[in-house]
Amino acid sequence: MATSDGSAASGGSAASGRRELTYAVLLCLAGAGLATWTATRTWSVEVLARGALPPARQDRSGADLLPWLSALALVALAGGGAVLATRGRLRRLLGGFVALLGLAVAAGGGYGLAADPGAEAHRQWPALCLLGGLVAAGGGLLTALRGAGWPTMGARYERTARATGPDRPDGRPIAEGGNRAAWDALDRGEDPTVS
């Protein structure tokens, strides 16, 4: 229980930030994942006349029509996951980048809806690609606007420089000479943590 109004507000703000971070990451991942999957589906089928032979059918996926579409969707997917590992301005820049990628993917889906009216078309896949791009762009935009104040990963995930080398849980150095001496002791069958 909070003891003052300030601590209650900061606890509520932290919970709100975690919730927004979760929503943004889920939007980015779901939208980019949907776009990646729909880019591999058959968007159109061309029937090619072959003279006396029966006509040939050529299935074309979104990736066949727009080779860059899958790549952008995969980069947006990776960017959605990277939102968790970044903080501050870098997170906001990453959010803007994911928003731009999502818009580009959505434009590819829109192109798939409008292109090639003469062929047999499967309009649901470009429409879902368009939707996925817009959802990913929404997650990226939310990150770009509000991501700087969201919580970050704990300090245990960060690398810190140490002057004395690796330590045991009780704070004493593992072995004189750093990592090399510890590995050499292990190779000899000795426990470098026992002094």
Side-chain angles (χ1 to χ4, degrees):
M1 182 172 201
T3 58
S4 68
D5 292 337
S7 62
S10 67
S13 175
S16 174
R18 279 192 299 274
R19 189 170 35 254
E20 287 179 354
L21 173 62
T22 302
Y23 291 153
V25 169
L26 288 177
L27 285 172
C28 291
L29 295 179
L34 178 64
T36 302
W37 180 68
T38 58
T40 63
R41 306 294 101 197
T42 300
W43 285 21
S44 68
V45 177
E46 292 184 41
V47 179
L48 305 172
R50 299 187 305 171
L53 296 172
R57 293 173 48 96
Q58 182 179 7
D59 295 344
R60 300 190 68 179
S61 69
D64 292 334
L65 295 171
L66 305 167
W68 48 267
L69 185 63
S70 295
L72 291 185
L74 286 172
V75 172
L77 188 65
V83 166
L84 292 172
T86 56
R87 66 171 67 178
R89 288 185 183 185
L90 181 60
R91 180 181 278 169
R92 292 182 71 183
L93 287 173
L94 179 64
F97 182 62
V98 170
L100 290 175
L101 288 171
L103 291 175
V105 168
Y111 173 80
L113 282 173
D116 205 8
E120 178 186 332
H122 300 277
R123 300 287 183 209
Q124 70 272 20
W125 303 123
L128 286 173
C129 184
L130 175 84
L131 176 67
L134 291 176
V135 169
L141 186 62
L142 179 62
T143 303
L145 295 176
R146 303 194 37 95
W150 293 342
T152 59
M153 295 174 77
R156 65 181 167 185
Y157 298 108
E158 295 179 11
R159 184 176 183 168
T160 57
R162 296 183 185 193
T164 60
D167 296 335
R168 294 189 305 199
D170 60 4
R172 293 181 292 157
I174 288 179
E176 299 297 327
N179 286 337
R180 180 71 180 171
W183 284 107
D184 289 340
L186 285 172
D187 288 340
R188 291 189 302 271
E190 300 171 5
D191 184 0
T193 61
V194 176
S195 35

